[in-house]
């Protein structure tokens, strides 16, 4: 995988024939990392000459022969001497062969010129990298380097296939990520002036078969492109923030107006491209539990992408710690279409992960209908959850009784009191006890039913219930206690 | 003596064979009296002689035989001393190991067993005398045609430069007489018993060669009998490289050791063998004396005599004790002779 130059490549590229190799011919596969020009006076100054080839401007003769074991001990790759081959006597060749140190005689080469020539060969990859990076910089200079331009420039100037990737690996430009077994070069795009390297934008190039030399070139090229892209990232970020703020403000005014929105608000909504007439089906997605504000900002793109994939032409607006979205149809939303919307939202929420829940409001007509559907979606999302008896996505088809129960268990105060009531059980770290009491209460306090549902013996259920009473210091014979515990179990968050 | 002189030359100091011939011609009896350094009177006057310049030129343009005595005589007359005068070599190695014997034989001057090097070294001021601050001057240079120069005053490190310039003009080599010392100075700062060691090493090498054969290596036998001696192994010369840009030979010889542990030893030379490198480590270095002994002849090879394919035993012989003393050691260290092999790598 390494692209370091071997000694054989070095002497072949430099134009030396096999006759120039005085000794150590079986060591020509050794890699050469650097070329050094050394004289007797400077030999002692070499810091770490391992894998270096040394061009000697003296010593010669016996002094050079005496030097060979020391060079070998320093793991020098080869010694170049600027003399005719006949001047390298048999004892020098014999010793170099014995210790495995190649000696190359270069007749007619001034040592300095030889060292420069060899160094250019050894560092050819660096020169190539510099040339490619310079060309990319030239191509992108003075332009607004958006993701599309960057991807095209890298492909045309350096034959580098890369993608511009946003938060959660959403591809903004370039081919989709394959995540193969090869090497992935990933360079962050950091906005100018930002001290930290936390970023939500990357340049990613996936390389199936790669040499170190190619990987270094791609890394450097992407680094240059990332600098050019950082200006676009900064302006896009500002634009997105301004856009999100505007949308949030307009939607908030619509929600608070309850359908009687002022003319300028309606005008702003229209300017944003929102359709206020027609039938609206609203969706609310929220993280459960809510992360910090910085994370919410980066999640917006991910949620928008997931919802837009689920329901085409859906408007998505972040509102506090949740995202509101709606789709608009010109005609009545038939039940099967609503069902398909709900199913699509369920898939989107599943795709977002287990820390997201959502609600889908009933289709409603006009501006007032939009507001009602959005409010209903918010309420349903608040009631949704991943605890037993709750669903990750609740929709408007839920029964009035379930809606009542969900409303009863989704309030902040109820959640807090429930947590306190079940604290002793939670602290016991015995998940089986929580599972048992949840099942027992859901099955109308039937020990036989609980045993069957949990695949336990009835006596085990009885013992667990006894333990639950002991831990909670409550009697399950009391109907009010059972009702309170059932509500508390529903109110548990994930 | 000749074998010992070759070994002490450590690959340099020239071939002593020609000087042996001169000595035999001048003194066919082959017997000379040698005064030990301990027997020197404090106020005795000791003059060091020898050849300076190119030993190769000496081989190509041999001496008439009188040049060393002439140089000695000229310096003695210049000094005008009424003290008893003795002669010594400034370098007991290679051609110079026998130069003082030649003067002694020709002039009937007593020879004292002390010198300023105790082995082969490249420069005329590379002596324990100079390291101790004793003056090389006045000194005399003479060549076969009789051209003679008397240098009255110059410091040791400058003397080498003048000597090199003059000897080039004098035909490549010249005879030298200098380092006039008192008996106390020669005894106190010279390498004593240098001639004795040369003779001892030659005899040991000769005996080792006679005993060698089969699995017995001449180098191993020599190292075993010589205190501080080391035998690094037997091998063939497989590679070499010489550079003459500096005006003198600088190079490397690669000896591939034989056997299961076969590996190359790298011998670094600059006129003489200066160091041996084994597996990236310096395992021998000047002032240790390095010998590459040709296995079939048992003769230590001079650096310029080594050829590819030659089979040699590599032997290390301990340096003269004087050069290991702290006050003198730095003068013959590798870094002092231009071989900076200590490279720091953390």
């Amino acid at each position: 995988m390494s692209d370091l130059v071997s000694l054989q490549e070095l002497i072949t590229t430099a134009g030396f024939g096999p006759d120039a190799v005085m000794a150590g011919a079986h060591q020509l596969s050794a890699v050469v990392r650097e070329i050094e020009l050394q004289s007797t006076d400077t030999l002692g100054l070499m810091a770490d000459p391992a894998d270096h080839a040394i061009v000697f401007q003296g010593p010669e003769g016996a002094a050079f022969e005496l030097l060979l074991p020391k060079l070998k001990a320093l793991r020098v790759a080869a010694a170049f001497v600027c003399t005719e081959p006949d001047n390298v006597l048999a004892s020098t060749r014999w010793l170099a062969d014995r210790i495995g140190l190649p000696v190359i005689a270069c007749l007619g080469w001034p040592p300095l010129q030889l060292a420069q020539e060899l160094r250019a060969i050894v560092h050819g990859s660096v020169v190539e990298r510099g040339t490619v990076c310079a060309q990319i910089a030239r191509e992108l200079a003075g332009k607004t380097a958006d993701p599309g331009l960057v991807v095209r420039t890298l492909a045309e100037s350096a034959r580098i296939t890369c993608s511009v990737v946003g938060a959660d690996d959403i591809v903004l430009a370039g081919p989709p990520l394959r995540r193969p077994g090869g090497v992935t070069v990933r360079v962050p795009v950091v906005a100018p002036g930002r001290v930290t390297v936390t970023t939500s934008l990357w340049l990613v190039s996936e390389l199936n078969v790669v040499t170190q030399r190619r990987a270094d070139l791609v890394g450097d090229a992407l680094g240059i492109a990332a600098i050019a892209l950082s200006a676009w990232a900064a302006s896009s970020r500002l634009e997105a923030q301004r856009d999100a703020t505007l949308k949030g403000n307009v939607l908030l005014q619509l929600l608070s107006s309850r359908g009687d929105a002022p003319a300028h608000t309606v005008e702003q909504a229209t300017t944003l491209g929102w359709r206020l007439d027609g039938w609206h089906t609203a969706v609310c997605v929220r993280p459960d539990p809510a992360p910090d504000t910085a994370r919410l900002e980066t999640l917006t793109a991910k949620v928008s992408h997931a919802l837009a994939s689920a329901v085409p032409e859906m408007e998505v607006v972040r509102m506090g710690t949740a995202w509101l979205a709606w789709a608009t149809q010109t005609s009545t939303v038939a039940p099967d279409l609503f069902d398909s919307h709900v199913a699509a939202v369920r898939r989107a929420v599943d795709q977002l992960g287990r820390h997201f829940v959502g609600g889908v409001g009933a289709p409603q007509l006009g501006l007032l209908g939009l507001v009602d559907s959005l409010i209903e979606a918010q309420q349903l999302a608040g009631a949704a959850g991943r605890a037993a008896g709750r669903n990750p996505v609740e929709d408007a088809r839920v029964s009035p009784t379930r809606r009542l129960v969900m409303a009863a268990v989704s309030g902040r105060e109820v959640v807090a009191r429930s947590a306190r009531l079940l604290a002793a059980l939670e602290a016991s770290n015995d998940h089986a006890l929580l599972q048992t009491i949840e099942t027992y209460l859901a099955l109308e306090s039937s020990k036989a039913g609980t045993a069957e549902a949990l695949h336990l013996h009835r006596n085990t259920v009885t013992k667990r219930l006894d333990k639950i009473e002991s831990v909670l210091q409550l009697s399950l014979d009391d109907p009010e206690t059972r009702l309170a515990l059932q509500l508390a179990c529903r109110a548990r968050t994930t | 003596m000749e074998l010992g002189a070759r070994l002490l030359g450590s690959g340099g100091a020239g071939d002593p064979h020609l000087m042996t011939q001169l000595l035999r011609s001048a003194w066919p009896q082959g017997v000379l009296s040698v005064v030990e350094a301990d027997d020197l009177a404090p106020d005795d006057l000791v003059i060091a002689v020898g050849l300076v310049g190119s030993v190769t030129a000496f081989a190509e343009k041999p001496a008439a035989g009188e040049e060393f005595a002439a140089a000695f005589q000229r310096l003695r007359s210049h000094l005008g001393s009424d003290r008893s005068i003795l002669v010594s070599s400034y370098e007991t190695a290679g051609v110079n190991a026998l130069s003082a014997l030649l003067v002694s034989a020709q002039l009937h001057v007593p020879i004292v067993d002390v010198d300023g090097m105790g082995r082969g070294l490249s420069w005329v001021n590379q002596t324990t005398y100079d390291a101790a601050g004793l003056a090389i001057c006045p000194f005399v240079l003479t060549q076969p045609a009789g051209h003679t120069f008397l240098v009255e005053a110059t410091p040791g490190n400058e003397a080498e430069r003048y000597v090199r310039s003059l000897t080039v003009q004098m035909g490549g080599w010249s005879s030298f007489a200098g380092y006039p010392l008192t008996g106390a100075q020669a005894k106190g700062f010279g390498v004593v018993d240098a001639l004795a060691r040369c003779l001892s090493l030659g005899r040991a090498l000769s005996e080792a060669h006679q005993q060698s054969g089969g699995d017995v290596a001449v180098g191993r036998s020599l190292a075993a009998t010589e205190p501080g001696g080391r035998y690094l192994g037997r091998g063939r010369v497989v590679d070499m490289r010489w550079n003459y840009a500096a005006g003198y030979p600088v190079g490397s010889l690669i000896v591939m050791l034989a056997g299961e542990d076969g590996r190359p030893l790298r011998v670094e030379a600059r006129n003489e063998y200066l160091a041996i490198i084994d597996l990236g480590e310096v395992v021998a270095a000047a002032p240790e004396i390095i010998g590459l002994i040709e296995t079939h002849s048992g003769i230590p090879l001079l650096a310029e005599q080594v050829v590819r394919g030659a089979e040699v035993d590599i032997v290390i012989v301990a340096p003269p004790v004087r050069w290991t003393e702290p006050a003198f050691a730095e003068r013959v260290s590798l870094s002092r002779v231009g071989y900076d092999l200590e490279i720091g790598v953390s």
Side-chain angles (χ1 to χ4, degrees):
Chain A
M1 289 287 285
S2 172
D3 250 4
L4 291 171
V5 176
S6 72
L7 185 56
Q8 178 69 70
E9 292 172 315
L10 182 64
I11 60 177
T12 303
T13 309
F16 299 118
D19 293 346
V21 181
M22 295 288 95
H26 56 293
Q27 296 289 330
L28 297 184
S29 60
V31 299
V32 178
R33 296 180 186 280
E34 182 57 281
I35 302 295
E36 298 214 33
L37 177 64
Q38 295 290 344
S39 66
T40 308
D41 295 336
T42 59
L43 275 172
L45 303 177
M46 292 189 294
D48 179 16
D51 298 330
H52 293 195
I54 298 181
V55 177
F56 282 98
Q57 45 181 11
E60 294 177 342
F64 177 66
E65 187 170 320
L66 287 171
L67 202 55
L68 296 179
K70 297 171 183 175
L71 296 177
K72 185 61 182 177
L74 293 169
R75 294 182 290 127
V76 165
F80 287 79
V81 287
C82 297
T83 185
E84 61 179 300
D86 285 349
N87 282 343
V88 182
L89 294 189
S91 57
T92 305
R93 296 198 297 270
W94 188 92
L95 180 59
D97 268 331
R98 179 186 170 101
I99 63 177
L101 178 70
V103 174
I104 294 97
C106 310
L107 179 62
W109 281 82
L112 177 60
Q113 187 183 344
L114 175 62
Q116 288 173 332
E117 185 80 14
L118 296 176
R119 190 168 289 174
I121 297 170
V122 168
H123 295 297
S125 61
V126 175
V127 174
E128 181 189 2
R129 277 154 58 191
T131 305
V132 169
C133 289
Q135 185 175 353
I136 292 170
R138 199 164 48 242
E139 294 284 336
L140 297 176
K143 299 175 183 171
T144 303
D146 59 52
L149 176 64
V150 166
V151 168
R152 282 197 305 278
T153 303
L154 286 169
E156 292 166 5
S157 299
R159 299 192 310 281
I160 295 172
T161 302
C162 93
S163 303
V164 179
V165 174
D168 299 293
D169 280 355
I170 295 169
V171 176
L172 305 179
L177 301 184
R178 301 188 307 274
R179 302 183 188 283
V183 174
T184 299
V185 180
R186 193 179 186 93
V187 175
V189 179
V190 181
R194 294 189 70 166
V195 177
T196 62
V197 293
T198 55
T199 181
S200 56
L201 193 64
W202 289 271
L203 280 163
V204 180
S205 183
E206 293 175 327
L207 311 168
N208 288 330
V209 179
V210 67
T211 61
Q212 185 62 47
R213 183 173 177 166
R214 178 67 178 168
D216 290 345
L217 187 149
V218 171
D220 288 354
L222 262 56
I224 294 290
I227 293 170
L229 195 57
S230 61
W232 172 87
S235 64
S236 298
R237 184 188 180 86
L238 286 173
E239 192 177 334
Q241 285 176 342
R242 190 178 65 232
D243 188 51
T245 303
L246 175 62
K247 286 181 175 178
N249 287 337
V250 173
L251 188 59
L252 185 61
Q253 288 178 43
L254 291 178
L255 288 171
S256 54
S257 68
R258 285 280 171 185
D260 188 18
H264 73 273
T265 302
V266 174
E267 186 181 340
Q268 279 183 316
T270 307
T271 307
L272 286 170
W274 296 352
R275 285 180 55 190
L276 302 180
D277 56 345
W279 290 83
H280 308 285
T281 305
V283 176
C284 176
V285 173
R286 68 177 178 88
D288 181 30
D292 57 52
T293 308
R295 176 63 181 149
L296 278 172
E297 190 177 325
T298 63
L299 286 174
T300 297
K302 181 177 181 179
V303 172
S304 300
H305 186 260
L307 289 176
S309 303
V311 183
E313 298 184 8
M314 184 169 265
E315 287 291 344
V316 181
V317 179
R318 186 181 143 205
M319 183 68 68
T321 58
W323 292 270
L324 293 175
W326 67 94
T328 303
Q329 272 81 36
T330 52
S331 58
T332 309
V333 178
D336 57 341
L337 180 58
F338 181 72
D339 288 347
S340 71
H341 281 348
V342 172
V345 172
R346 285 190 203 284
R347 286 195 299 275
V349 169
D350 285 345
Q351 179 189 335
L352 287 170
R354 58 188 295 272
H355 291 296
F356 286 85
V357 295
V360 184
Q364 302 280 355
L365 180 63
L367 175 57
L368 181 59
L370 172 61
V371 171
D372 288 344
S373 186
L374 285 169
I375 291 171
E376 185 182 22
Q378 278 182 307
Q379 290 170 344
L380 290 167
R386 293 182 182 268
R390 300 171 74 172
N391 294 319
V393 176
E394 297 285 2
D395 65 83
R397 297 167 303 181
V398 69
S399 66
T401 53
R402 179 171 173 78
R403 196 177 289 239
L404 175 66
V405 173
M406 288 192 305
V409 300
S410 58
R412 186 175 298 174
E413 179 63 22
V414 176
V415 170
R417 285 182 183 278
S418 299
R420 283 199 294 274
L421 182 59
L422 296 175
L425 273 184
E426 300 271 13
S428 72
N429 266 338
D430 191 346
H431 181 69
L433 295 181
L434 273 170
Q435 187 185 32
T436 302
I437 189 63
E438 280 176 355
T439 309
Y440 175 70
L441 294 172
L443 296 177
E444 298 177 347
S445 306
S446 166
K447 290 181 181 175
T450 304
E452 185 180 349
L454 298 180
H455 306 292
L456 297 171
H457 192 274
R458 192 173 186 281
N459 289 348
T460 304
V461 174
T462 303
K463 281 183 183 176
R464 286 187 182 178
L465 293 174
D466 290 345
K467 188 172 182 182
I468 290 165
E469 287 182 320
S470 169
V471 170
L472 295 177
Q473 295 185 329
L474 293 170
S475 170
L476 294 175
D477 293 334
D478 181 4
E480 190 172 276
T481 299
R482 291 201 299 274
L483 177 60
L485 285 174
Q486 194 168 10
L487 289 172
C489 285
R490 290 284 181 92
R492 280 178 66 233
T493 62
T494 56
Chain B
M1 280 295 292
E2 192 178 316
L3 277 177
R6 276 178 164 270
L7 186 57
L8 285 173
S10 191
D15 190 339
H17 183 67
L18 187 57
M19 194 65 87
T20 304
Q21 298 304 317
L22 290 173
L23 181 59
R24 280 187 176 144
S25 170
W27 195 252
Q29 301 93 321
V31 177
L32 284 170
S33 297
V34 177
V35 176
E36 292 187 4
D38 281 346
D39 295 333
L40 283 172
D43 61 346
D44 282 346
L45 176 61
V46 178
I47 291 176
V49 298
L51 177 149
V52 292
S54 167
V55 291
T56 306
F58 178 68
E60 292 172 352
K61 193 178 74 171
E66 308 296 331
E67 296 86 350
F68 299 94
F72 178 85
Q73 291 279 49
R74 179 66 187 90
L75 183 58
R76 181 162 67 176
S77 64
H78 172 75
L79 293 171
S81 172
D82 58 356
R83 294 178 287 164
S84 62
I85 293 182
L86 299 94
V87 66
S88 71
S89 171
Y90 77 85
E91 176 190 38
T92 308
V95 295
N96 280 331
L98 305 174
S99 57
L101 295 174
L102 182 61
V103 172
S104 175
Q106 291 170 333
L107 300 179
H108 305 288
V109 175
I111 181 170
V112 59
D113 190 3
V114 65
D115 81 345
M117 293 183 179
R119 55 155 291 163
L121 290 168
S122 292
W123 304 320
V124 72
N125 66 320
Q126 218 171 353
T127 60
T128 56
Y129 306 141
D130 191 76
L134 302 176
I136 190 174
C137 290
F139 68 83
V140 170
L141 299 177
T142 300
Q143 50 95 269
H147 300 170
T148 300
F149 291 87
L150 171 66
V151 180
E152 288 190 323
T154 185
N157 57 341
E158 295 288 325
E160 171 66 23
R161 194 158 57 86
Y162 290 122
V163 166
R164 283 187 180 278
S165 299
L166 285 169
T167 51
V168 168
Q169 300 300 318
M170 295 167 82
W173 69 273
S174 61
S175 54
F176 167 91
Y179 283 119
L181 306 174
T182 66
Q185 288 172 329
K187 180 180 169 184
F189 301 107
V191 178
V192 299
D193 298 333
L195 281 172
R197 190 180 191 212
C198 180
L199 188 59
S200 167
L201 277 173
R203 283 176 175 156
L205 184 55
S206 179
E207 288 170 8
H209 178 56
Q210 288 169 8
Q211 293 168 1
S212 66
D215 295 334
V216 181
V218 59
R220 188 188 299 279
S221 299
L222 175 65
T225 57
E226 176 67 15
R230 287 187 287 145
Y231 173 59
L232 299 190
R234 170 172 290 187
R236 287 195 183 277
V237 178
V238 296
D239 202 357
M240 60 174 61
R241 188 75 70 248
W242 289 106
N243 187 332
Y244 297 91
Y248 43 83
V250 178
S252 308
L253 310 168
I254 312 300
V255 179
M256 185 61 75
L257 295 183
E260 292 180 358
D261 195 24
R263 63 189 186 280
L265 293 186
R266 181 179 187 129
V267 183
E268 288 298 296
R270 175 170 180 157
N271 291 324
E272 307 89 32
Y273 307 131
L274 289 180
I276 294 180
I277 297 168
D278 183 8
L279 296 176
E281 298 283 341
V282 177
V283 295
E288 287 182 305
I289 297 158
I290 296 169
L292 268 61
I293 301 170
E294 193 176 47
T295 56
H296 75 84
S297 66
I299 295 175
L301 295 176
L302 302 180
E304 71 257 28
Q305 293 173 330
V306 178
V307 294
R308 279 189 176 84
E311 186 182 58
V312 294
D313 281 351
I314 301 182
V315 177
I316 310 301
V317 176
V321 174
R322 184 71 82 194
W323 283 126
T324 64
E325 295 171 7
F328 299 91
E330 192 276 337
R331 183 60 72 97
V332 284
S333 66
L334 282 181
S335 58
R336 181 61 179 257
V337 298
Y339 260 84
D340 189 6
L341 299 182
E342 298 299 320
I343 297 171
V345 178
S346 57

